[in-house]
C-alpha cells in the first residue's frame, strides 16, 4: 500500500482488491500502516468515531479519505476559478472603459465621459453604440 501513497486511484484499486485482508488487520497494524502513509490523525479520528478498533473498516476509511481529497480539490478549483474569473472580468471592464474614454476623447466629448463614468445606464448605452 505504501507504494500507492501518492497515487490515490491506485490506492483505491488496491483497497478494493484487498478488501478482506485490510478488514482483517488488527488495530496496531492499521495504525502503523496509516502512520506511514501520513494519514494517522484523520484516520485515528475516524476510528474513534466508529467506536473503537473492532468496528473500524480500513477500506471505508480509504474511501472516505479519497472522497475528502476530491472534495478539497474541487473546493480549491472552485476558488481558483472564481478568483481568475473576477480578475479577468475586472481587466475586461478596465479595457472596455478605457476604449470608450479614448473614443470619446477623439470625438471631443468630455461631457459624455463624465456621464459614462458616473451613470451605469449611460455607460451601457455608450458601450452598445460603440460596439464595445
Amino acid at each position: 500500500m505504501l507504494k500507492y501513497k501518492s497515487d490515490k486511484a491506485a490506492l483505491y484499486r488496491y483497497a478494493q482488491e484487498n478488501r478482506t485482508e485490510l478488514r482483517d488487520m488488527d488495530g496496531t497494524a492499521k495504525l502503523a500502516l496509516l502512520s506511514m502513509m501520513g494519514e494517522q490523525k484523520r484516520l485515528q479520528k475516524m476510528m474513534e468515531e466508529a467506536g473503537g478498533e473492532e468496528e473500524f473498516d480500513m477500506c471505508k476509511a480509504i474511501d472516505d479519505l479519497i472522497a475528502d481529497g476530491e472534495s478539497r480539490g474541487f473546493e480549491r478549483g472552485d476558488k481558483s476559478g472564481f478568483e481568475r474569473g473576477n480578475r479577468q472580468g475586472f481587466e475586461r471592464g478596465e479595457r472596455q472603459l478605457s476604449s470608450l474614454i479614448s473614443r470619446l476623447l477623439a470625438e471631443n466629448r468630455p461631457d459624455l465621459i463624465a456621464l459614462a463614468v458616473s451613470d451605469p445606464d449611460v455607460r451601457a448605452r455608450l458601450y452598445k453604440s460603440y460596439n464595445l
Side-chain angles (χ1 to χ4, degrees):
M1 268 181 75
L2 291 178
K3 68 181 178 179
Y4 303 123
K5 178 180 176 179
S6 61
D7 184 350
K8 300 303 180 195
L11 176 62
Y12 183 76
R13 281 192 306 276
Y14 178 87
Q16 293 299 316
E17 293 166 3
N18 297 283
R19 203 166 199 73
T20 304
E21 293 84 357
L22 291 171
R23 205 173 268 134
D24 292 341
M25 290 173 69
D26 68 26
T28 304
K30 290 176 186 177
L31 282 176
L33 178 61
L34 297 171
S35 293
M36 288 185 276
M37 291 180 68
E39 298 293 348
Q40 66 274 15
K41 288 181 183 175
R42 285 195 294 164
L43 288 164
Q44 180 66 39
K45 184 178 177 187
M46 288 177 190
M47 285 177 68
E48 290 166 3
E49 290 171 359
E53 295 175 8
E54 303 82 34
E55 299 176 33
F56 180 69
D57 182 345
M58 181 80 145
C59 295
K60 182 182 179 325
I62 291 170
D63 290 345
D64 290 347
L65 286 172
I66 290 170
D68 181 49
E70 289 172 347
S71 175
R72 284 187 287 146
F74 287 133
E75 288 172 13
R76 286 182 190 145
D78 285 347
K79 182 179 179 189
S80 174
F82 180 77
E83 290 169 355
R84 186 172 47 249
N86 275 345
R87 187 174 54 255
Q88 289 172 347
F90 179 79
E91 290 168 359
R92 180 177 179 264
E94 287 280 307
R95 284 190 307 273
Q96 191 176 27
L97 183 58
S98 178
S99 294
L100 178 61
I101 291 171
S102 293
R103 287 187 180 189
L104 293 173
L105 283 173
E107 294 177 4
N108 197 26
R109 296 296 311 261
D111 56 320
L112 286 179
I113 294 172
L115 278 173
V117 171
S118 62
D119 187 335
D121 293 330
V122 170
R123 187 170 49 247
R125 285 195 307 271
L126 288 169
Y127 284 155
K128 188 172 183 175
S129 70
Y130 285 98
N131 295 315
L132 297 174

